[in-house]
Amino acid sequence: MRKGFRASVLLTSGWMVATALSSPAFAQGAQPAQPMQNADSAESNVGLADIVVTAQKRSQNVQDTPLTITAVSGDALVKAGIQQVGELNRIDPALQISAGAGVLTTFIRGVGNPVTTAGNEASVPVYIDDVYFIRAAAPFFNLSSVERVEVLKGPQGTLFGRNASGGVISVYTRDPSTGEFSGEMSAGYANYDTVDLKGYINIPLTDRLAANYSVSYHNQGKGWGRNKQLVDPFDTSKGFLPGGDDYWKDKSLSMRGKILAELTDTTTVKLIGYYQNSTSEIGFNVRPLPGSIGGTPDGAHNGFANVCGLHPCPSQVLPTLGFYDVSLPLTRPAGSKANRGPQYDKSEGYGFSGRIDQELGFADLVSITAYRKNDEVFFANGNTSPYAWAFYDLNIVDKQFSQELQLKSKPSSAIQWIVGAFYLNADGGFGPTLITGPAVNGFGLASIGLFGQQKVKSYAGFGQTTIPIGDRTHVTAGLRYTKDKVIGQGCTQITLLPDTALPCTDDTVTVPDTSPTFKKLTWKGAIDHEVAQDVMIYGSLSRGFKAGTFNTLPLDSPALRPEVVDAYEIGLKSEMFDRRVRFNLALFWNDIDSPQVTGQRNGLVALKNAGSARTKGVEFDAAFAPTQGLTLRLAGSYLDAKFRDFPDAPSYCPSPKIDAATCATLSPTPPIAPGNINAIFVNGNGNTLPMASKWKFSGSVSYEAEVASMGKATFDLTANYSSKFPWDADNLWYERAHFLLNSSVSLSPESLENVSLRFWMKNITNRKVNLGYYAQASGSAFGSAPAAPRTYGLEASFRW
């Protein structure tokens, strides 16, 4: 009753506003959409450029699309200094992005999932060239050779479907052109001994065949901080030794190639291949969260053996580290695949996709086929201390095959429609997570291997249509039916000292159903009305869901229920003053049933469903082009995101909210050692959802001008503000409010029009910000990872 009443109020209110503002004098058509240009630059005749998106699987002016979208061109991304999907939250206030265990964790309007385990998919999926990536491993999302990025807000349960309960991020890379042979190269050098090399080449082969190729290389040779070692490992009060090895470094190589073939006047084929190889220490929660207490190992809190000749017994508090410093072992035990001591992630992957566009007499047919495989090993220390005590080698399984078919109306059709089918076959998990070191050797074991994987077969059929009602009103309706078959497989393999492996013990014998089937009908309904030329209002109702999933680290519990989001939105899209001003506004409400949340236990992961939650808020986006070459932009959001029903939220003690005496009555384990925590459950009703900032703003200034005797100069300044937000469902630890400022200055000399020089600086005020968080209910309590300090560099580019 409550949901139906709210839907009626929202849509009725929107329709009443539309009716009140409508008059025959305003009945003029919108300007025809042009190919997408820089969303943040002014046209030569002063005015904001049209932005064409494909959020509804067809080319459409973003101002005519009845949903909230942030669309940014590749040129605008370069000017803003955005090189990875993980940096998009700097320009879109609705986005909150962090990183953990090599994976991006993305939230939109408070809806999201802190994905850390392989096999667990995000609530905000990422697509590259219309291909869904089941695991958002950061190395795949290098934003070189990008044409545009579209961020779709709210559930996209009809056209995108799978796991789009919070929204969608779609990345589109450049297509080959049969026009001219062209390309560009750039080389950059930045502080922390950072080298960036990029190249792009477009090769027209015939008047119907073309290819392109892009490559990007990044190597940060020096770390932001130091790996500190103790003066005396048995007396931590003596502090750390000076110096230490560099930490927080990374390097990566990514390549992408495309072939575009117009086989006939009605048939086009596009083939894409890509590869990435990366090694990174960035984004891993390996040092105590600033403000918390770290401690030396204590086996009583994680089931491991104490080795008192290796670490102090009883446990001691670790000295406080500098914000960018860590304290990790210098070596790893025999049997580990790691080639160095500290914690890091090594990843190598590739993929292929093929798209066929076939024009039929009455419609257009699209086929998208894709395969992707990634080999990844995450080398983790069992705690945030320098003791070579317990080590985790997480061998991650990540591969998928997908097939999508679309049959859609001609662009000129008065009634726009699309029907389609989608199939996904994916494997994800750990094979295995290998635990080694003195912590297990003390029990006479060489290693413990935790195997946990889930196999997913997903089938879906969908359809959506947009019907005009009169000259200025459109009604959109869509349905999607999804059937997921999820199979969980898990076992534990013990290897005795010196090297005797026992049979793998089945962990799933206690799981009631290791092959559940989840079925879900999702839908969308929307109405939009053109109040005046370039002024549209709309209202929408939609449902999205995140599929049921197993916890794969380890797989010893039933699958989680699907997360279902019912969303209600009304909005305004407008352009005014001869298209010098663009102002968009949206009000939204999301009801979330069975939200999926993450907790930790003994260094491993525990997933569970909360009962329900809701998010509500308002967003705006404004752009202004007052004079030629100058563009101003301001966007903001207010978000109120709360758990309604979560009486058993995972938490830990002692903590800022629960003292040691109270913990003694809640924790069944032995007394808590200094710097360690125990897992408990608390009442989370009314708590703020993880990573949900109440206030967020972003703004930018871009100015381009011809400078006498010098050439063309471009100045860009971007700023963003985020109020504090909780890292977890228990609301124990908050990331404090922060303001970040980035800038760049580019010059294209008059005598060398194909050459440009660009100086950039990020985090100008050197603000200390945490990038990730992990509560480890054993080891050294609350871990975190820092975001980059102030960075700056110079880049030279050449185009032909």
Side-chain angles (χ1 to χ4, degrees), residues 41 542 632 763:
S41 67
S542 60
L632 311 175
N763 192 4

Side-chain angles (χ1 to χ4, degrees), residues 444-521:
L445 307 179
S447 66
I448 301 173
L450 301 176
F451 291 82
Q453 295 183 36
Q454 72 171 11
K455 299 180 182 296
V456 176
K457 289 187 178 181
S458 179
Y459 309 84
F462 60 91
Q464 182 168 302
T465 184
T466 298
I467 302 173
I469 301 177
D471 295 331
R472 296 179 290 155
T473 305
H474 299 83
V475 174
T476 299
L479 288 174
R480 188 183 189 107
Y481 180 76
T482 302
K483 179 180 178 181
D484 288 339
K485 181 69 173 180
V486 183
I487 301 174
Q489 300 173 336
C491 68
T492 298
Q493 185 168 48
I494 302 295
T495 301
L496 303 175
L497 287 172
D499 191 20
T500 303
L502 300 179
C504 209
T505 303
D506 191 354
D507 290 337
T508 63
V509 293
T510 59
V511 178
D513 186 1
T514 56
S515 56
T517 298
F518 301 101
K519 303 175 183 178
K520 183 61 61 177
L521 181 68

